[in-house]
Amino acid sequence: MILSALRPGCRILDLCCGTGHLSAAFCRRRLNVVGLDGSYDMLRFAKQNAPQAEFVVADARTFQFSDNFDAVIAVGDSLNHMLTSRDLGAVFGNVIIALKPGGTFIFDLNVPEAFRTEWHKSSTVVGTDLLMYVRGSYDKSEPENSR
């Protein structure tokens, strides 16, 4: 696994960190974590989930840091929120600047096939203090290259 190469003390950027669950896992590995997200509300939960991490409200297309990172992680389909190739290119450009030489960038993206086969599904999470129902949809009539 790529993450096993990251030793305690490595500096990690959890890009589009949301509620900080991945940031918390990194902190448990004794990594120095900075979580970045565009939502104040998401970061409020992230601070509860990973109090050892530092959190920054910023746009993934325009962020800047004075210190570089050993790795940048952007998973959970977060980069699918970049709706144009220009926006995605801006994120990738910022990541290049943010990484130390030889640093690692780990990310995921959905491809059109995943939208067609997976986004119609639904899921439910039931906890002691929450109930969440998610229903996906995908409009295949919109041309894939319309953005």
Side-chain angles (χ1 to χ4, degrees), residues 71-129:
V72 176
I73 316 293
V75 295
D77 302 329
S78 58
L79 294 183
N80 283 97
H81 293 276
M82 298 299 124
L83 300 180
T84 67
S85 57
R86 174 177 274 188
D87 287 343
L88 190 59
V91 173
F92 283 15
N94 286 339
V95 168
I96 289 169
I97 293 168
L99 280 170
K100 291 180 180 177
T104 301
F105 181 30
I106 300 170
F107 65 94
D108 64 355
L109 287 169
N110 278 326
V111 295
E113 181 62 22
F115 288 110
R116 287 189 291 273
T117 61
E118 302 298 318
W119 275 53
H120 67 282
K121 297 179 180 178
S122 62
S123 64
T124 305
V125 176
V126 179
T128 56
D129 60 348

Side-chain angles (χ1 to χ4, degrees), residues 127-142:
T128 56
D129 60 348
L130 74 98
L131 171 64
M132 178 176 68
Y133 176 74
V134 177
R135 182 176 62 194
S137 66
Y138 174 67
D139 183 356
K140 64 184 173 186
S141 67
E142 183 177 337

